[in-house]
Amino acid sequence: VWKGKLPLEVRGRLAWIKAQEFDYEAAKKQMLTLLKEDTYYTWGWNQLIDWSFASHDFNDYLSAAGEMLRQRPQSALAIAYRGEARLRMDEREVGLDDLRTAIRKDPCSAFTTYLLFDEQMADNDLTGAESTLNAMKMHLSGDFVHAREIQFAAKKEDKEKALKLFQNLVDSNFPQTQALDIAVRALD
């Protein structure tokens, strides 16, 4: 049926199985071979980026994000991936610039917005974090936004506001455990 060669997507899934076995190097090698065949295989680029992050190989992460960006120059996600890779490689300013650019292209990207906010908070850039939080509240919703509101209030030492926001989060229907964890750590 396949004339001796499995379809690209099936071979991609075989690489994915290697990654599920935590053999990231073999998975990345297999995926790179597939991406040479079809440079527009978006699922493949996303997996390669995930596996590079999981294996803490930020050089490969940056390379894959750069290639994804060459394939899709207007992709906010590709810019965000490049920004995260740069952050992990201690190129903070250009990484943060990439994240800000990605948010301008897609203000609804939770991944990018949360990452930029978290990095601004880590840098104690409360002005930048407040701006990102305001944009986040305008374009996103849910427990993770509320958790970051709590983080921001706690960082600004507005304990009364932070506790009120936390109570609202706890009282919401089935709050997400990870969001609660973020909020609790901020109040600790």
Side-chain angles (χ1 to χ4, degrees), residues 30-105:
Q30 288 177 13
M31 191 59 74
L32 282 168
T33 300
L34 299 178
L35 291 167
K36 287 178 184 169
E37 275 182 49
D38 181 357
T39 59
Y40 293 98
Y41 184 34
T42 304
W43 185 82
W45 287 116
N46 286 327
Q47 298 311 304
L48 187 60
I49 284 170
D50 286 348
W51 303 336
S52 296
F53 182 86
S55 62
H56 297 268
D57 188 341
F58 300 115
N59 284 319
D60 280 357
Y61 188 167
L62 182 60
S63 176
E67 189 56 40
M68 182 185 251
L69 191 55
R70 277 187 283 286
Q71 300 299 325
R72 300 179 355 209
Q74 297 304 315
S75 170
L77 183 59
I79 295 168
Y81 283 152
R82 185 179 69 184
E84 182 176 38
R86 287 174 162 172
L87 286 169
R88 302 300 168 243
M89 295 175 68
D90 293 324
E91 299 174 16
R92 290 200 66 74
E93 286 311 309
V94 291
L96 292 170
D97 285 344
D98 276 349
L99 294 179
R100 286 188 282 268
T101 299
I103 287 174
R104 281 193 299 276
K105 287 182 172 288

Side-chain angles (χ1 to χ4, degrees), residues 5 13 18 57 75 77 103 134 145-146 154 156 182-184:
K5 189 173 186 180
R13 285 296 176 172
K18 287 289 185 193
D57 188 341
S75 170
L77 183 59
I103 287 174
N134 288 334
V145 174
H146 299 306
K156 291 200 63 155
I182 290 168
V184 167

Side-chain angles (χ1 to χ4, degrees), residues 116-131:
L116 178 60
F117 177 83
D118 294 346
E119 293 298 327
Q120 288 167 325
M121 291 290 283
D123 289 346
N124 209 28
D125 174 10
L126 297 185
T127 302
E130 184 173 31
S131 175

Side-chain angles (χ1 to χ4, degrees), residues 12 19 24-25 35-36 38 46 48 50 93 96 110 112 141 144 150 155 161-162 165 174:
Y24 295 116
E25 291 309 310
L35 291 167
K36 287 178 184 169
D38 181 357
N46 286 327
L48 187 60
D50 286 348
E93 286 311 309
L96 292 170
T112 309
S141 63
F144 289 98
I150 295 164
K155 187 82 164 189
K161 182 176 182 178
L165 290 166
F174 306 107

